[in-house]
Amino acid sequence: TQLLEQSPQFLSIQEGENLTVYCNSSSVFSSLQWYRQEPGEGPVLLVTVVTGGEVKKLKRLTFQFGDARKDSSLHITAAQPGDTGLYLCAGATGNQFYFGTGTSLTVIP
Amino acid sequence: NAGVTQTPKFQVLKTGQSMTLQCAQDMNHEYMSWYRQDPGMGLRLIHYSVGAGITDQGEVPNGYNVSRSTTEDFPLRLLSAAPSQTSVYFCASSQTGGRNEQFFGPGTRLTVL
């Protein structure tokens, strides 16, 4: 049973388009992290959100933590080919992290 | 700093063989963890440790053992490899657990025949 579900699983868009990735759960998390992973490498942290309703911006990326701390979204504005990769959300409960199923994003020049 | 290092990079085993995946970090992090990554499943926590001498089970611990004798090292042992353990294994460390950033190693790709 997957604790965190991500959608969509695959996304292929043209450069310049906007997109949103969703991370949903029925469980409450103390914090929610977003990672990006390149082929053959380990995930790298993009952001951590800890407060329900929190919004964080990282250049063209906007992250939101749901009010009930059960879900999160990642919005990318004007996607670029360099945004291509696997995006993973991860919820923390105590000392355990539960990762989402991942969203594979391809941005076509 | 080397960060988190893992060896080997690739490994092929026969069913029933045993082996140890090595993980080391030089950031003096208290928290270390092992994940496996399978297609369409994201990363799943196998075991974790909040400090030397302390280990605990994660989501999918069966078939794996760990120990933490030093802060730096956190080896993962496969006692009797099975084809279902074919996966990519990642070790990670963070200052403490919870909401801290996890730093991941480059991974070990394991195939069990």
Side-chain angles (χ1 to χ4, degrees):
Chain A
T1 304
Q2 201 75 28
L3 212 59
L4 279 165
E5 295 289 341
Q6 280 184 243
S7 61
Q9 188 175 0
F10 298 98
L11 194 53
S12 181
I13 61 172
Q14 296 289 329
E15 181 176 359
E17 292 184 350
N18 303 331
L19 67 113
T20 302
V21 177
Y22 299 94
C23 175
N24 295 304
S25 176
S26 56
S27 300
V28 176
F29 297 103
S30 59
S31 67
L32 199 293
Q33 298 178 331
W34 284 92
Y35 290 82
R36 184 174 144 201
Q37 185 179 21
E38 302 283 351
E41 299 180 6
V44 176
L45 181 72
L46 294 173
V47 77
T48 301
V49 285
V50 298
T51 306
E54 183 176 1
V55 177
K56 277 193 175 179
K57 291 192 175 182
L58 186 66
K59 296 183 181 178
R60 294 176 293 100
L61 279 61
T62 302
F63 305 85
Q64 184 161 9
F65 201 10
D67 291 340
R69 290 185 288 130
K70 293 182 179 181
D71 53 79
S72 181
S73 63
L74 157 60
H75 182 78
I76 301 179
T77 303
Q80 298 178 0
D83 295 327
T84 294
L86 179 67
Y87 290 81
L88 296 158
C89 63
T93 341
N95 284 315
Q96 294 207 35
F97 290 88
Y98 295 90
F99 276 79
T101 46
T103 295
S104 180
L105 171 65
T106 301
V107 182
I108 302 165
Chain B
N1 286 352
V4 180
T5 58
Q6 290 183 238
T7 56
K9 184 81 171 168
F10 300 95
Q11 183 71 50
V12 179
L13 292 177
K14 294 181 179 178
T15 297
Q17 286 185 317
S18 63
M19 79 158 297
T20 300
L21 307 186
Q22 300 292 344
C23 174
Q25 52 92 8
D26 61 359
M27 297 174 282
N28 202 32
H29 285 168
E30 291 296 323
Y31 184 92
M32 295 186 74
S33 54
W34 276 102
Y35 294 88
R36 59 177 290 172
Q37 185 173 31
D38 302 293
M41 300 285 290
L43 281 84
R44 290 181 292 169
L45 182 65
I46 303 172
H47 286 284
Y48 66 97
S49 168
V50 298
I54 306 168
T55 63
D56 209 341
Q57 295 182 351
E59 207 177 340
V60 288
N62 292 342
Y64 308 95
N65 275 1
V66 292
S67 60
R68 185 96 179 269
S69 56
T70 67
T71 299
E72 295 78 19
D73 300 297
F74 191 43
L76 177 72
R77 296 183 188 84
L78 281 69
L79 305 175
S80 178
S84 61
Q85 293 179 305
T86 293
S87 188
V88 180
Y89 291 85
F90 288 98
C91 178
S93 75
S94 68
Q95 202 162 13
T96 58
R99 57 188 65 172
N100 291 107
E101 175 179 5
Q102 292 193 87
F103 294 85
F104 284 82
T108 295
R109 184 174 293 275
L110 175 67
T111 301
V112 183
L113 304 175

